[in-house]
Amino acid sequence: MLTRLPNGYPRPLAAPRFNPGAPDARRLEVTLTDDVLVVHGGAPLQGQIRVRGAKNLVSKAMVAALLGESPSHLYDVPRIRDVEVVRGLLELHGVKVSDGADDGEIVMDPTNVESASTDEINVHAGSSRIPILLCGPLLHRLGHAFIPDLGGCHIGPRPIDFHIQALREFGAVVEKTPEGMHLSAPTGLRGAKLELPYPSVGATEQVLLTAVRAEGVTELRNAAIEPEIMDLICVLQKMGAIITVHTDRVIEVHGVPRLHGYKHRPIPDRIEAASWAAAALATKGEIEVLGARQADMMTFLNVFRSIGGECEITDERVARPGVTAAEGGIKFWHPGHELQAVALETDVHPGFMTDWQQPLVVALTQARGLSIMHETVYEQRLGYTDALNQMGATIQVYRDCLGGTPCRFGRRNFMHSAVIAGPSKLHAADLVIPDLRAGFAHLIAALAAEGTSRVYGVDLINRGYEDFEGKLAALGAHVERLG
Ligand code: EPU
């Protein structure tokens, strides 16, 4: 039985239990009867859907609202579980969150930020990784913070050592306890010279959200420069922050004593857009993703074309005399002939995103020849390929770095490179969703496979894909809830 968070969303699933000794899809031992999607696969997905603001920006922009002294307005916010978790945490800390006049607009009023009890905060334990980003803003607003155990996808150990090290250098006192992490800043927070061992997205956001109101100048070397980070910088600049992005991954922040609210339309979700693009390719369909933007997806679009996928980009048109407004987007479709294998490695921006990897691998099972996927961002992000093999794919994973560049995981025994031999005829199976992106990949595989699959734990997909069942229906997918 799934327990639910106070906001009505289900808690993340317990890790599914497998019996690895059993020969096929019957390896599944657990049955989650209220969370199963029956997928009648084998038909192309066709139609138009829309993506809204990027999950990995929206949640951070919501945290940034805590730093202001007046209300912030965020537009185009998707209805996903990560947003609900952050909303719940903000409300616990006295931020009034309400729906704005526009569809997808939320208004966050941080005028009366207050402490929350550890018990209340712990309701959100294990539900997301975003709570760690509340450290800096809460220290600035309250002088102390409590952060529950983090959740998020199980795609590697996902340590937070860079975050803690940076916070300590700003002057925070960090104490880890069995119930979570307590922080205080008895003498305030001061700017620091920092260098990340790896350009971590989360640690860069941690530094930005802390440095903007710390006293003095912060210099961060080896920072992440993903489009979502640049958009967070835009949010903070709108609030009154002074942030300079230098060449070679150096970010400089001049702390200011006060920030105010912002009005911001986030960048579109380039992970969701790429997931639907991969679904179009894997099911031999055609999907127009309204809202998808070329500039954020150039690396993906090059790969999509190299495989043989076709796409057409339409720019957004702003209304002016004689011109009516039109939403931009990208149409993705299967070329009608065989796809080609590619060799790829995931990387930090501007490389091929690790979150694009799983859906694309499903499409690569349909490409002729040997494709290579070298995962260099997370050490354990290929486990989902077992289920694809059960469905008829031929994917072998290796410890070696099979990409052009040796990575951090090469000599550390992690199975982090995959060779995908195709094309393979996929057949239906019973699948358990392991994490968000791999879960969507499983769903695509079930849609591409001949026959009827049952996908267990699909509610996990609501963490990052807004109304995915509605979108599947709009694309003509034959799916239904079990029971
Ligand atoms: N790392 C450390 N120590 C740290 C922080 C990170 O060793 O203190 C390592 C991680 O273990 C990983 C690498 O650095 O091997 C990169 O991790 P990063 O911090 O960049 O990832 P994140 O901030 O936790 C965000 C996204 C992920 C996305 C990655 C990479 C959010 C909420 N999550 O995670 O998105 O894969 O950046 O782009 O923004 C998803 O949306 O499904 C998702 C997992």
Side-chain angles (χ1 to χ4, degrees):
M1 195 63 186
L2 292 174
T3 55
R4 294 197 175 255
L5 294 170
N7 53 35
Y9 279 83
R11 269 191 187 290
L13 293 168
R17 290 191 298 270
F18 285 98
N19 173 5
D24 55 23
R26 284 182 295 275
R27 297 200 302 170
L28 186 64
E29 281 179 351
V30 68
T31 315
L32 301 164
T33 47
D34 56 347
D35 194 11
V36 186
L37 200 67
V38 179
V39 179
H40 306 286
L45 293 186
Q46 269 161 339
Q48 198 179 59
I49 47 108
R50 183 169 184 272
V51 293
R52 297 222 252 192
K55 155 179 143 347
N56 291 348
L57 175 277
V58 165
S59 46
K60 297 28 172 326
M62 290 174 74
V63 174
L66 254 180
L67 286 162
E69 288 176 7
S70 51
S72 289
H73 296 248
L74 190 58
Y75 305 100
D76 225 10
V77 174
R79 288 181 186 277
I80 52 174
R81 181 140 41 81
D82 267 18
V83 165
E84 290 304 320
V85 170
V86 184
R87 181 176 183 147
L89 281 164
L90 291 182
E91 286 172 340
L92 278 179
H93 287 95
V95 180
K96 270 173 62 188
V97 186
S98 53
D99 292 333
D102 286 6
D103 177 38
E105 176 188 349
I106 56 168
V107 184
M108 293 158 285
D109 183 351
T111 319
N112 296 311
V113 171
E114 61 190 16
S115 303
S117 80
T118 52
D119 284 351
E120 286 173 318
I121 298 173
N122 260 331
V123 170
H124 295 282
S127 53
S128 162
R129 298 195 68 72
I130 310 299
I132 185 81
L133 296 178
L134 268 75
C135 295
L138 286 179
L139 286 174
H140 284 303
R141 293 302 303 262
L142 300 169
H144 59 88
F146 170 71
I147 307 298
D149 271 352
L150 301 181
C153 296
H154 303 289
I155 49 185
R158 303 190 79 178
I160 50 167
D161 49 338
F162 305 166
H163 295 249
I164 293 175
Q165 175 68 21
L167 287 162
R168 286 190 169 134
E169 297 206 22
F170 279 110
V173 176
V174 185
E175 190 197 350
K176 286 200 234 167
T177 67
E179 58 174 352
M181 203 165 75
H182 291 271
L183 298 100
S184 58
T187 56
L189 297 171
R190 289 169 308 281
K193 272 190 175 259
L194 306 160
E195 176 156 8
L196 295 176
Y198 182 82
S200 149
V201 168
T204 300
E205 292 159 345
Q206 182 77 266
V207 170
L208 287 169
L209 291 163
T210 308
V212 282
R213 279 189 56 179
E215 195 190 321
V217 179
T218 295
E219 183 186 274
L220 177 65
R221 298 192 161 266
N222 207 22
I225 51 164
E226 268 61 10
E228 290 78 10
I229 300 267
M230 294 302 133
D231 211 33
L232 180 62
I233 292 176
C234 290
V235 168
L236 294 168
Q237 191 178 49
K238 281 176 173 162
M239 298 178 78
I242 303 172
I243 304 171
T244 313
V245 181
H246 294 291
T247 48
D248 299 328
R249 297 186 175 277
V250 179
I251 298 180
E252 188 180 314
V253 184
H254 287 246
V256 295
R258 259 176 302 284
L259 293 170
H260 50 77
Y262 63 80
K263 288 187 175 172
H264 189 73
R265 186 167 294 281
I267 59 164
D269 200 310
R270 63 195 177 119
I271 305 177
E272 183 180 352
S275 302
W276 290 113
L281 216 47
T283 64
K284 298 193 168 64
E286 178 181 302
I287 301 179
E288 183 166 22
V289 184
L290 294 176
R293 207 166 60 185
Q294 178 186 15
D296 313 318
M297 298 189 69
M298 284 186 163
T299 308
F300 180 84
L301 293 171
N302 288 336
V303 169
F304 192 82
R305 279 230 168 101
S306 312
I307 298 170
E310 303 269 6
C311 59
E312 184 182 87
I313 297 154
T314 310
D315 292 333
E316 187 182 12
R317 253 191 356 236
V318 180
R320 55 179 193 276
V323 178
T324 43
E327 192 167 20
I330 308 182
K331 190 189 282 180
F332 299 93
W333 69 96
H334 188 281
H337 54 74
E338 249 182 6
L339 304 177
Q340 294 135 43
V342 284
L344 279 176
E345 47 194 355
T346 63
D347 208 342
V348 294
H349 190 75
F352 189 86
M353 286 187 93
T354 169
D355 306 284
W356 289 334
Q357 181 255 102
Q358 306 82 341
L360 197 83
V361 162
V362 179
L364 288 176
T365 64
Q366 304 309 304
R368 177 155 303 277
L370 294 181
S371 292
I372 294 174
M373 185 62 82
H374 179 208
E375 170 59 60
T376 77
V377 180
Y378 289 110
E379 50 273 66
Q380 288 165 18
R381 222 176 183 183
L382 292 172
Y384 71 95
T385 56
D386 284 352
L388 299 185
N389 285 339
Q390 284 172 35
M391 299 177 79
T394 309
I395 304 173
Q396 183 88 39
V397 292
Y398 296 88
R399 291 192 168 79
D400 316 67
C401 295
L402 295 184
T405 329
C407 79
R408 302 172 289 154
F409 310 136
R411 275 191 226 95
R412 291 170 49 203
N413 235 10
F414 292 113
M415 306 289 268
H416 72 293
S417 293
V419 176
I420 305 120
S424 301
K425 194 167 173 49
L426 299 180
H427 51 77
D430 284 354
L431 303 159
V432 178
I433 299 274
D435 65 65
L436 180 60
R437 307 301 169 192
F440 199 83
H442 282 175
L443 195 57
I444 297 175
L447 289 159
E450 288 294 335
T452 299
S453 297
R454 275 177 303 177
V455 187
Y456 292 82
V458 280
D459 281 340
L460 195 58
I461 295 181
N462 290 315
R463 248 196 71 210
Y465 293 86
E466 181 181 43
D467 186 25
F468 74 93
E469 286 175 74
K471 290 179 186 175
L472 286 176
L475 296 171
H478 303 297
V479 298
E480 71 220 354
R481 284 274 174 171
L482 189 71

